[in-house]
Amino acid sequence: MTAVIERRILHAHFHLPHGARPDLYEQLLVLAQEITPRVQAIPPDAAHLDITGALRYWQRDPEGLAALLRLRTLALHGVQTTCAVAPNRMLATMAAAVTPPGTSTVIEQREVEQWLRPRPVAALYGVGPATAGKLRTYGLHTIGDLADTPIPTLARLLGAAAGRALYAHAHGQDPRTVQTQPLPKSLGADRSYEHDVLDPAEHRRALLSLAEEVAARLRDERQATGGLALTVRYSDRTSSTRSRTLPEATVHTRPIATTAYELYDQLGLQRARVRAISLRANDLRPATEASQQLTVDPVDDRALAIEAVTDRARTRYGPGTLRPATLANRTKQASRGIPGAKSSLPALPPPGRNRP
């Protein structure tokens, strides 16, 4: 009988520097494809590599091939990479989340159960904060607890489909394969914090800032977005992602910000220790394909008028010239000198004197 070949999936997390050039991620994907042609992009900074066949070609074990990828990304692009190798995509992603930056973790098939069972249920693929909280209320605190729970019980708690899926995940099962496909056209922005941020109000300010930046870039590049993806990273280096297809393609800040808020609310975060938030516009298309429905709402009309003025100011004076009051620097007084006033505008030179 022919021996069954054990799959080996490598999850690579590229630690892109802040303000990295836009094409750096694509260059890292090309480098990964030189190791194996079976590479699936996971924007904005990760990828899955099916290295099952590459091990024999390179005559290396999984740890050696991961070391080769880390060496090349660092030597050629100055980017540190965290790698994890496991029998499937789910396990590789989970292992990468708890691997120290710039190092590698390898999980063999015989080690899967021992590695999974003691981990918190919130670390399991498919378990968001709300589901984790519900499971904990029923005494299911670890993945081992979940694995020992009968499927009918999980179906009553979570629904039939979700119960069966989480039961399979708790036993280390994930049938998904690495899908090689062109990198989808997208653009995005992110905000990272030097410390844990628990305040939802600060999170929403970041969302508004991200929506403004993404929408401005779309208009500058004459592109429209058909979908949005929101990713929130936590202090333990795990993350949650929510995405949505928009009812119509748009280039405007207001619908992008509204959708970003709704995606954030779906996460059900409660006192989460957030370290970074990113917003990505997907399914890009020419801006001419974006439709703008007629409206009799004066709020929408004002938003579009303000957006046009902001674009002109940004073109002339640079980014951040005009900003919503929510994002304004509260420590600055208005440039007109009104006592106690706050301003979202930077001080501009008097008319006719050294103006750009």
Side-chain angles (χ1 to χ4, degrees), residues 38-62:
R38 300 192 60 79
V39 176
Q40 179 175 345
I42 309 175
D45 58 6
H48 280 141
L49 291 72
D50 188 336
I51 60 172
T52 306
L55 295 172
R56 182 175 181 180
Y57 176 83
W58 289 95
Q59 297 184 347
R60 294 171 181 256
D61 60 11

Side-chain angles (χ1 to χ4, degrees), residues 266-289:
Q266 286 181 8
L267 294 173
L269 302 183
Q270 295 181 357
R271 304 293 293 173
R273 298 180 179 275
V274 173
R275 296 302 297 267
I277 301 175
S278 65
L279 183 66
R280 181 158 293 273
N282 301 317
D283 189 18
L284 299 190
R285 61 196 70 179
T288 53
E289 296 184 16

Side-chain angles (χ1 to χ4, degrees), residues 6-353:
E6 181 181 327
R7 278 200 305 163
R8 301 296 181 94
I9 307 300
L10 187 154
H11 179 97
H13 175 204
F14 307 115
H15 299 277
L16 303 179
H18 182 70
R21 60 186 186 275
D23 64 339
L24 178 56
Y25 177 59
E26 295 184 25
Q27 293 183 17
L28 292 170
L29 291 178
V30 171
L31 191 153
Q33 290 167 352
E34 294 176 354
I35 292 179
T36 172
R38 300 192 60 79
V39 176
Q40 179 175 345
I42 309 175
D45 58 6
H48 280 141
L49 291 72
D50 188 336
I51 60 172
T52 306
L55 295 172
R56 182 175 181 180
Y57 176 83
W58 289 95
Q59 297 184 347
R60 294 171 181 256
D61 60 11
E63 188 171 357
L65 208 53
L68 177 63
L69 177 63
R70 287 167 36 218
L71 176 63
R72 289 190 171 189
T73 59
L74 186 61
L76 298 177
H77 299 287
V79 173
Q80 199 175 52
T81 302
T82 299
C83 296
V85 182
N88 57 53
R89 288 173 51 186
M90 178 193 74
L91 293 170
T93 302
M94 291 176 60
V98 295
T99 299
T103 63
S104 300
T105 295
V106 177
I107 301 176
E108 302 290 349
Q109 182 64 56
R110 62 181 182 276
E111 302 169 339
V112 169
E113 183 178 357
Q114 180 182 1
W115 186 85
L116 267 180
R117 290 186 65 85
R119 302 197 172 277
V121 71
L124 187 64
Y125 172 74
V127 177
T131 302
K134 186 173 184 178
L135 291 173
R136 285 193 292 264
T137 61
Y138 288 96
L140 304 178
H141 297 279
T142 68
I143 296 177
D145 294 335
L146 192 61
D148 294 337
T149 304
I151 293 180
T153 302
L154 294 177
R156 287 195 298 271
L157 295 178
L158 307 170
R164 287 194 298 269
L166 290 188
Y167 183 84
H169 293 164
H171 285 83
Q173 301 170 13
D174 179 17
R176 297 174 303 160
T177 59
V178 172
Q179 299 294 321
T180 57
Q181 53 194 4
L183 184 65
K185 294 182 177 180
S186 65
L187 61 82
D190 63 88
R191 297 289 181 273
S192 57
Y193 304 106
E194 295 181 355
H195 53 82
D196 298 346
V197 176
L198 287 72
D199 184 7
E202 180 58 37
H203 300 164
R204 294 181 75 86
R205 279 193 289 270
L207 291 174
L208 178 57
S209 176
L210 291 169
E212 280 216 316
E213 181 176 341
V214 167
R217 288 182 59 190
L218 286 170
R219 295 192 296 273
D220 288 347
E221 299 180 16
R222 293 179 173 83
Q223 296 283 316
T225 178
L228 292 174
L230 174 70
T231 299
V232 178
R233 297 190 184 279
Y234 310 108
S235 58
D236 60 359
R237 301 208 308 279
T238 61
S239 64
S240 299
T241 300
R242 294 293 183 272
S243 60
R244 176 179 297 178
T245 299
L246 300 177
E248 60 183 23
T250 186
V251 300
H252 300 297
T253 302
R254 187 179 177 87
I256 290 176
T258 299
T259 303
Y261 291 148
E262 293 171 352
L263 293 173
Y264 174 83
D265 291 338
Q266 286 181 8
L267 294 173
L269 302 183
Q270 295 181 357
R271 304 293 293 173
R273 298 180 179 275
V274 173
R275 296 302 297 267
I277 301 175
S278 65
L279 183 66
R280 181 158 293 273
N282 301 317
D283 189 18
L284 299 190
R285 61 196 70 179
T288 53
E289 296 184 16
S291 59
Q292 177 61 45
Q293 295 183 351
L294 297 177
T295 175
V296 294
D297 188 346
V299 174
D300 287 339
D301 291 339
R302 286 197 297 270
L304 293 175
I306 293 173
E307 189 175 88
V309 172
T310 301
D311 285 347
R312 290 196 295 269
R314 178 165 46 82
T315 300
R316 184 167 187 178
Y317 299 111
T321 304
L322 288 174
R323 309 195 74 193
T326 305
L327 304 178
N329 186 339
R330 299 179 181 275
T331 63
K332 292 184 178 181
Q333 300 298 321
S335 58
R336 293 179 180 271
I338 301 176
K342 310 295 182 185
S343 174
S344 60
L345 294 173
L348 297 178
R353 295 175 56 187

